[in-house]
Amino acid sequence: MKEIVEYATVIDMKTPTIPMASELNLTKVCNALGDPVRMKIAHCLASSGEKNCSAFEVNHISKSTLSHHIKILREAGLIRPRIEGKQHFYSLRKEDLNSRFPGLVELILNTGEEYVH
């Protein structure tokens, strides 16, 4: 069963929360994207769609550090988690971001390329 969490409500302790589209805050979004690793993760999701943690192209960091970066992106509202069994899949909230901050996803795609190589 696929589950997509859309709103900032706690369903249980294992279900991560994300802010609703109307609650997205530009300062928090920019702060989350201000780190090169998080920008790289966002670029990866913007250009290729949904991925699980092991598919991110971030070679030099530990799993716990990657989890921390994902948490910051999720709490800022940039990414949406989908939990399937023990696996967590993430996708960029393109529609929500574009409606709240027009042009942001395009900026991530253009700026993020310098972090990919």
Side-chain angles (χ1 to χ4, degrees):
M1 180 198 300
K2 294 181 181 179
E3 178 181 334
I4 296 177
V5 179
E6 298 262 0
Y7 301 98
T9 55
V10 177
I11 297 169
D12 59 50
M13 292 306 288
K14 291 184 179 181
T15 305
T17 59
I18 60 171
M20 294 186 297
S22 62
E23 297 173 336
L24 291 174
N25 178 292
L26 185 59
T27 303
K28 288 181 182 179
V29 167
C30 290
N31 185 51
L33 291 173
D35 182 274
V37 172
R38 292 192 291 268
M39 177 59 90
K40 188 173 183 178
I41 293 168
H43 180 269
C44 182
L45 292 173
S47 60
S48 64
E50 184 180 73
K51 289 187 176 233
N52 68 1
C53 288
S54 61
F56 290 123
E57 299 148 6
V58 189
N59 301 330
H60 62 283
I61 62 173
S62 67
K63 287 183 181 181
S64 62
T65 302
L66 178 61
S67 293
H68 174 74
H69 286 299
I70 288 171
K71 178 184 175 191
I72 291 171
L73 290 168
R74 178 182 46 80
E75 288 177 347
L78 284 156
I79 61 175
R80 172 182 292 121
R82 180 177 64 83
I83 302 168
E84 192 172 300
K86 291 186 176 187
Q87 294 211 11
H88 291 218
F89 296 89
Y90 299 94
S91 58
L92 192 71
R93 295 174 62 190
K94 289 181 181 181
E95 300 82 21
D96 293 340
L97 292 167
N98 276 330
S99 68
R100 185 87 166 126
F101 311 114
L104 180 62
V105 173
E106 189 65 32
L107 182 65
I108 291 169
L109 283 167
N110 292 335
T111 306
E113 289 184 16
E114 64 192 59
Y115 296 106
V116 173
H117 303 292

